[in-house]
Amino acid sequence: MSKMPLKTALVLGVLFFLPVVFLLFLYPSTHNYNPLDIVDDTVNELQLFLSNSEEDIQLKEHITILGFLGNEPVDNAIAASNLKELVYDKFKGFKKFQIVIVLPKGSEIKAEQLQKEINNYDDMRFWHYVFGEPNDIKALFNSLKTEESLDENLFTDHVFVVDKDLSQRGRLDDREDNEKEKQSAIYPLYSYDCIEVAEIKNKMSDDLRILFTEYRQKRKGKFDSSARRAEDLNVKEQ
């Protein structure tokens, strides 16, 4: 039997060991996995709200993007369109994912108009509108941790991530690496601005992937950490 040429042996050795080395590099990042921070764990449920469908829309047991588009949702179509194109279209296939838009009662027709404006005949089964009284909308908003406020039309261009246990997720420390090196003051990210495309496309998409990874690991029994909570870090209020 003739010997295998040295060059061929080296190539085969590299092809064999390269995947092993790659997996070894991946192991530390998986082992040191950090879940998305819990910034508030007292988010109100939607019992006092009615949906525009026969479904009973609830936050519990869902990963929800919660938005407030106010009395004139069509006027805020840019925020809704960014949310649809940059978040909904990307994550609508994930289990238990939904987007819930909160509107005042009486704006049901306006919600249909907004839906026609942002929907290019896509599957919108996981995009919901719920309607409530102004005081109930304010109470739901006030149950969220935020530095934003609703305007006089009950609108904000910021949206919120709520997990399956009615806990709001975000970043307790949103500093960039260079800011951390300079030991700049800590500042949080409680919500995501739908007008800022980079924030939705980068930060929010990354955070949602982290949250889905957390729940996937929990299902597989491989998740052995708990999300950092607000009380674990002294966040300087701006």
Side-chain angles (χ1 to χ4, degrees), residues 41-100:
D41 56 7
T42 57
V43 180
N44 288 354
E45 187 50 279
L46 300 174
Q47 290 100 332
L48 301 176
F49 293 83
L50 300 175
S51 74
N52 62 335
S53 68
E54 296 181 358
E55 288 186 74
D56 181 24
I57 307 303
Q58 298 293 320
L59 303 180
K60 186 75 172 178
E61 299 302 329
H62 290 83
I63 295 175
T64 305
I65 308 301
L66 189 63
F68 299 79
L69 291 186
N71 291 304
E72 301 295 336
V74 178
D75 292 347
N76 304 310
I78 293 177
S81 181
N82 286 345
L83 191 62
K84 192 263 180 189
E85 294 176 6
L86 300 175
V87 178
Y88 181 81
D89 288 350
K90 185 181 295 184
F91 293 101
K92 63 183 178 182
F94 284 77
K95 190 174 182 180
K96 294 297 184 178
F97 171 74
Q98 65 179 1
I99 288 181
V100 176

Side-chain angles (χ1 to χ4, degrees), residues 65 110 122 149 172 182 205 218 238:
I65 308 301
K110 295 176 182 178
D122 292 331
S149 58
L172 294 172
K182 296 177 182 177
S205 291
K218 284 180 177 178
Q238 302 295 317

